[in-house]
Amino acid sequence: MADNIPAASSEVEEQDPVVTKSILWPVFLAMIALSASAVWSVWDEFYTRRPYKDYQNEWVESAKKAYAGKRDASAAEWARVTASDEYKTLEAAMREADAKAAPEVGRLTTQLNSEVLPRIAALSLPVKVARSEAAAITYRLEHARAHGHADEARHYTAELAALKARKSDVLLPGASAPEAWGFEQMVSEFNRLKSLQGDIQSQTARVRREADGARATFMGWRDAHLRTASPAAVQALLDGLDSFEHDIKQIHIKVDDGELIERCESCHVGILSPVPLEASELGGRKVFTSHPAKELLALHPPEQFGCSPCHGGNGIATESVSMAHGKNKHWLWPMLASENTEAGCMQCHKNDLWMEHASTLNEGKRLFQWRGCVGCHRYEGIGREVEELKLAEKAVVTARKDQAAVEIAIAREVEITEDSAASAEAVDAAYRAATRLRQDLHLTRTREQQLVQDLASLDLEVKKIGPNLKEASSKLKPEWLLAWLKDPRAFRPTTKMPRFRIDDEQVRDIAAFLWQSSTPKAIQAPSVEGDAERGQELVISRGCLACHKVTTDEFDAIGNEFSAELSRMGEKTSAAYIASWVKNPRYHNRYTVMPSLRLSDEDCGNIATWLASLKSDKAVYLSTADALALLTDKSRLERGKKLVEHLGCAACHEIQGLENEGRIGTELSEEGSKPIERLDFGTRTKEYKAEHTYNHKGFFEHKLESPSTYDKDKEFSRWVDRLRMPEFFPLPGQSGYEELKGEIKGDIDALTTFLLGSTEAHIPASLQYMPEGAKQDIQQGWWVIKKYNCDGCHQVLPGATPVLWTLPIYEETASFTGVPGKNGRPPTLVGEGSRVDPVWLSRFLANPALAAEGTAAHERNGVRQGMTVRMPTFFLSERERGTLVRFFQALSDLSTTDYVRPDPAPLEGAELDLARAAFTAGDCANCHLLGGEASVNPDTTYAPSFEVVRERIRPGWTHRWVTEPNTVIPGTAMPAILQHADGANGVRWIVNTAKISATAKRRVGDARLKQLADYTGDHAELLLRYFAQWTAAESAFQQDARNK
Amino acid sequence: MDWHQVWELVSLPDNVPIVLLLLMVPFYTWLAFREAGRNDRLIAALELDPDMRKTHHRVPYPWKPGWPKTVHVWPHLLKREFLAAIIVTTVMIVWSIVLDAPLEEPANPSLTMNPSKAPWYFLGLQELLVYFDPWIAGVVLPSIILMGLMAIPYIDVNPLGNGYYTWKQRKFAIATFLFGFLVLWVLLVIIGTFIRGPGWLWFNLGDTWDHHRVDHQVNYDLHDFFGVTGVWQVFFFGLAFVGGFCAIVGGITHLWVVKCMPLMRKRMSLVQYATMLQLWVLMIFVVAKIIARLAFTVKNFWVTPWFNV
Amino acid sequence: MSHGHDEAPPEPEIPAGEGNPGGLLTKLRAKAKSPAQLQAELKKTQVWKSIFRHKLDDSPRNRSLAVLSSVFLHLHPARINRDAVRYSFTWGMGGITFYLFVLLTLTGTLLMFYFHPSKGEAYRDIMFLQHDVPFGNLLRNMHRWCAHAMVITTWLHMMRVFMSGSYKPPREFNWNIGVMLLLFTMLLSFTGYLLPDDQLGFWAVTVGTNMARATPVMGHEGPFGPELGFTAFNDVRFALLGGSVVDANALLRAYIWHCIAIPIIAAVLLIVHFWRIRKDGAISGPAPVMLASEITD
């Protein structure tokens, strides 16, 4: 028998355990555990899940120290400012004005406080009671009338009359006993007092006007001169810390289509500090620093936009840093890394190509287009011309079909009208139908016309970033083509062309296809043999370097990277081709952005001769014959074509037979919010998870750095299954790496920022930026500016420095044949919208020479004929010209639609003589051309020609220009020959005789100068009116005057 | 061994209950068998010793004459219930403090989760989807499980083991139930949770859940092995196979019952016996299908234009 | 009209302070009763008697009455099998399951105050529960973990009942109630899964309800379903989800099933379950073992 089976008889236990066994201890312990867990839950709720409490405690301590330091610094600054004479003067003026106004203000205040307000107070209750009673009776009266209860109505009328007759007790201030006032009396007195109160208040404001003005001036001056907050203000911040509320700091934004809750300030307590705080002042605690970009914050007030729309993260969360920063696993919008912060701008500014304060993102967007990413990857809003062109082509076809259908319908109706058997009604109906159809036809034709016009525009707008390969065989040297395809960066480290992972055989196949598929294009080489020296001079001075880089005799690789570097051009192509290309780039490549520089045949030859002479002596090529043998190998044609198709060469180049290739890459418009599961990390998932780069940022960075990275360890049965994205940045050890390694990280960051920002918007639409009018014009304008590199030559925004301006030849004291130093730079376009007539600008953009094609004048500059650098003729579409015009107008806060050229009063007789004299006296023709000159003197006459002044310039601008040129264009060579004078009708400008040269005085003559001095009108106005009626005759007149 | 993956799986908030299940089920199985063992030993002793039968209180717990046969609920049971409530509350509070309930991304119908899993307690059924058509795994089998559970009291005619744990007196009933519960339910839940990864592929514990993993397994319908073609031929082949299978398994079971458990057969009415046999055959069929799929790559036994079995 | 108090006699002046033998305090003290007396008197009051129907002395009668006269406790019998209080027999699983059901009802009711069963709002409300509501996280966590725990304890309870043969006559019917409760426990948990409207719940419910497509005869992908004219827009799955996909309607349906319909059904079944335990002679054991040799058919 087993031991554990108790026998009934055995004495196992005396006591019955079931009844007697106490479980007090287990219960007690369980109670302790339960209490402890309850306490723990409270601790967890109020402490563990609220880490911001610690931060806030720490903040108070750090901020006390930081603010104390700030206060002392501010006190010193304050003392410096208050000690200045100007401060004292202004303060005295303010006090004086205050004192002057004081007696009257005092009198008014006393009147208000002693006579008016107490009486209003005394009357307000009886008036309120009486009025409310009257209103109640009136309601009942109206109700009774409306329901036809005449008796009741009479009753209430009587009651109302009784109320009005009733006297109420009114205890006026100062009176010993209440007076009995009637209803009307009370109400009229009450109204009188109220209006009196208003009168006194406005009177006070009137009396104080001067004092208030003085105060505003004083405060304005003080604020402008104090760079820090006042010590008192900082002290107030410091004092505020004593009563700091330890709580969640929350911004709650409620809009129609959503809401935002942001509690970032709970930990980042100092982020909105009115006094800037830096980590170094806060004991190194970055969490408490104030927002580093104050200007951005001013544009995007957090109480309106919150924090997480820009920065990402989870605005609501406060329980841990990782939750708040959205770094937890399932949060879709983690906080952006500091190098990609600007990705947040894309939430709203997806369509802005260029933004102030967002240099990384701007660069990312620029690179995305410039490196040709958009050729393979569709991106909503970028490079849309190609798609628009296809749509427009389809629309034209449809419109034509519609027309044909309508024409047939008309013919059918007409047939009925001509049918003698038809009834009169049928003929009539057919006639009416035909009429309506003809009108339809008219509208359809109009539509078609518009579409055709759009097509023409689009045809000019579509660009490709690479050269046209349909003319490869007439352009390229065979041996060069092979070397180039093998490793483009070996030939030209700065090239946009990426490196493809192809072997020698594939290179030969591709080259052979390109060679054999191209069609010979006639070289329109005007003259090839030229002067290399002169060619070099032209390349440097004509403006080529605004886009291209080149190494000259004097300078190593100067110019811009916008287009291909021209050093070693001779290895690539022939002089004849270069000559033909620079003569007319669009002839060779209809998709090029390169404009015509309107060069003479001779200059084309000179430039070609020089460029063709640029060769590296280290380059090693196959012999031309061997190369040609490879390129003409017919057996390579098919393989080459497949490769070219597969690799997507047509994304950047025009290639025979591949004109309609679609984009081969993934669309990237919303790549940043693509679910992470859909980004193919290949076999590297685990590795990158361990590195913490298994996220969008990591994906983009890895991919850009080495596009084949996700092919690692993969087994491919076919070569084409590999990732085909080429390498845009050289890897260590590859050619070009040494030259470019400094830029790679920055470029990848910029592109990553752009891609990270390419997300579906996750903030309410009503908070997004939807620019209209001028803002939209600016937005659109930048696309054209950047597309054609306008800002390579021109300053578009104040403070910007175009690449061309940095050339050594434009230095202040530079001496270079034909370039007059600083003043020879392409003009600034800051304020262009306020300067030029919009209609003229559009015309000028179409034809910068302002002369008919084929004329000698066409080869010159239209406005600044004396300049060596010249505005080239871009092949801009009408649409693009309109966009540019609107852009400049908008930048100057002007609108194009309401511009009408002003028509000043014509000058006649004496006034005309005076205007001519003023012109001559100013010696304007010293720098400006007058028009019609046979030749120009390049050393001096770089200013605009007067030929175009009438149509070109907006008079308002001219007035500012002739009076204060230095404020319009700081540092301009334009002298200020007018001076300020008091006139009968206020301020006027007169010719400053002290500034007139002796020669000019002689040309004008003393008598005229005297008359001019006696003229009581505004001389600037006189000149303006003179310009407005400038003609060839005037040119001749002034030319004569000069010749005197 | 990818410990990170193991940790990710085990620490996933919604998988914690299954870890708990993994600990609790064996414990309580052991507990039940411990109690059953005590009773079985007592039964054996009583069978041997007729005298003892007359005096023994027949419960393996201590007892002395004079001790009450029943005790007051208040306080003897209620204090224990009170203790249990406190302990459960404490456990739930601590669990809730330590582990946050999961909240993933907002529902997104266009982004399929891989693997998409039903709540853990249905993962046994989801696992069955591998072996059966959805209508069987998702609808028919659950219904039969429920009906079978409900039928238990009416087909278990064994008068022994009523109200006490025993193994020896109810071997067949307990073995069948535990096989169904532990293997066909709990084990499949655990496989569905910890073993089935992306693409519902089999990942041994410790294998990395690789979304790109590609497996090759071609399954054939049974008739393919025998070269049967034509809709009706296939239909009747399947019908014959399934029918034959059931008949054979049923027959063997019947022989076994008659030979080894004649008393059970004798006590049961024909309806009871038939119901019991049906449920038993069905359970064997499910197991057979799983084995046929895993070991012999058989997709379906019976293929028809309307359904597959 | 004059008021009575005008005529009322002046109240007697009682000098305050100690030492005054006629002071109110002293009089009160003299009249004061001992706490025991007070307690005894309290127990004689009608209010006390109306609430407590029996005395509290520790007597066998009162021990029984304590259970029998309480609505909550009378589900228990007054006395039970002496060994039924042992944990090793019952495992406490039925009681724990019921206790978890109570906890779930409490936490669930509180959660309902913070939850809107509509798309967008549902997920946002969970965020608010996590980040805003005091103890909101604890509340939600408790609800979820209790739900999971309840599924497990229900299973184990079933296992215990089977292993101890407690479904045998006369408890056959109560076992069936239990099977239904098992089903409803899992359905409660399942319907609650969708409510946060996150990816986890959405796909779990999608996978779960996709099986309903294959319902024979009534599902549009089940055997004979298409033949009988069932499509994705009229089959049993459509009825479950209120649509052909898991969307706003499914959310609302899950919410109502979860918060109202199933709890009511489960509560009714629970009442029957408990009532049956009492009626079938309380808990089944530990019963005296029976011997095969004693059975006579």
Side-chain angles (χ1 to χ4, degrees), chain B residues 5 35 43 124 170 215 252 260:
Chain B
Q5 179 72 57
E35 295 294 305
I43 290 162
R170 302 174 56 209
D215 260 8
I252 293 172
C260 303

mmCIF file of all heavy atoms in Angstrom, chain B residues 5 35 43 124 170 215 252 260:
data_model
loop_
_atom_site.group_PDB
_atom_site.id
_atom_site.type_symbol
_atom_site.label_atom_id
_atom_site.label_comp_id
_atom_site.label_asym_id
_atom_site.label_seq_id
_atom_site.Cartn_x
_atom_site.Cartn_y
_atom_site.Cartn_z
ATOM 1 N N GLN B 5 15.861 37.348 -32.880
ATOM 2 C CA GLN B 5 14.558 36.973 -33.430
ATOM 3 C C GLN B 5 13.713 36.268 -32.375
ATOM 4 O O GLN B 5 12.522 36.543 -32.226
ATOM 5 C CB GLN B 5 14.773 36.060 -34.644
ATOM 6 C CG GLN B 5 13.497 35.593 -35.295
ATOM 7 C CD GLN B 5 12.801 36.714 -36.039
ATOM 8 O OE1 GLN B 5 13.378 37.324 -36.925
ATOM 9 N NE2 GLN B 5 11.583 37.007 -35.660
ATOM 10 N N GLU B 35 -2.833 14.059 -9.390
ATOM 11 C CA GLU B 35 -4.054 13.745 -8.653
ATOM 12 C C GLU B 35 -4.612 12.392 -9.117
ATOM 13 O O GLU B 35 -5.046 11.586 -8.307
ATOM 14 C CB GLU B 35 -5.096 14.832 -8.888
ATOM 15 C CG GLU B 35 -4.688 16.193 -8.327
ATOM 16 C CD GLU B 35 -4.605 16.186 -6.813
ATOM 17 O OE1 GLU B 35 -5.612 15.822 -6.178
ATOM 18 O OE2 GLU B 35 -3.516 16.519 -6.279
ATOM 19 N N ILE B 43 -7.460 3.364 -5.708
ATOM 20 C CA ILE B 43 -8.373 2.405 -6.324
ATOM 21 C C ILE B 43 -7.754 1.020 -6.324
ATOM 22 O O ILE B 43 -8.380 0.020 -5.949
ATOM 23 C CB ILE B 43 -8.718 2.854 -7.754
ATOM 24 C CG1 ILE B 43 -9.598 4.103 -7.687
ATOM 25 C CG2 ILE B 43 -9.437 1.757 -8.531
ATOM 26 C CD1 ILE B 43 -9.660 4.873 -8.978
ATOM 27 N N GLY B 124 -4.473 28.086 -34.263
ATOM 28 C CA GLY B 124 -4.562 26.651 -34.558
ATOM 29 C C GLY B 124 -5.398 26.441 -35.804
ATOM 30 O O GLY B 124 -5.034 25.669 -36.696
ATOM 31 N N ARG B 170 -10.250 5.767 -17.067
ATOM 32 C CA ARG B 170 -10.800 6.509 -18.210
ATOM 33 C C ARG B 170 -9.736 6.700 -19.272
ATOM 34 O O ARG B 170 -9.670 7.755 -19.910
ATOM 35 C CB ARG B 170 -11.304 7.882 -17.769
ATOM 36 C CG ARG B 170 -12.367 7.863 -16.703
ATOM 37 C CD ARG B 170 -12.672 9.264 -16.252
ATOM 38 N NE ARG B 170 -13.063 10.110 -17.353
ATOM 39 C CZ ARG B 170 -12.871 11.430 -17.400
ATOM 40 N NH1 ARG B 170 -12.282 12.024 -16.406
ATOM 41 N NH2 ARG B 170 -13.264 12.117 -18.435
ATOM 42 N N ASP B 215 10.597 29.300 -50.510
ATOM 43 C CA ASP B 215 10.596 27.871 -50.283
ATOM 44 C C ASP B 215 10.024 27.186 -51.505
ATOM 45 O O ASP B 215 9.186 27.734 -52.205
ATOM 46 C CB ASP B 215 9.721 27.537 -49.071
ATOM 47 C CG ASP B 215 10.599 27.312 -47.858
ATOM 48 O OD1 ASP B 215 11.819 27.568 -47.969
ATOM 49 O OD2 ASP B 215 10.067 26.903 -46.814
ATOM 50 N N ILE B 252 -11.070 -0.493 -37.960
ATOM 51 C CA ILE B 252 -9.986 -0.859 -37.037
ATOM 52 C C ILE B 252 -10.354 -0.434 -35.618
ATOM 53 O O ILE B 252 -10.204 -1.203 -34.665
ATOM 54 C CB ILE B 252 -8.654 -0.204 -37.482
ATOM 55 C CG1 ILE B 252 -8.215 -0.818 -38.815
ATOM 56 C CG2 ILE B 252 -7.590 -0.389 -36.420
ATOM 57 C CD1 ILE B 252 -7.039 -0.124 -39.452
ATOM 58 N N CYS B 260 -10.656 -4.673 -26.927
ATOM 59 C CA CYS B 260 -10.021 -4.148 -25.718
ATOM 60 C C CYS B 260 -11.004 -3.485 -24.760
ATOM 61 O O CYS B 260 -10.736 -3.380 -23.571
ATOM 62 C CB CYS B 260 -8.916 -3.162 -26.072
ATOM 63 S SG CYS B 260 -7.681 -3.896 -27.126
#
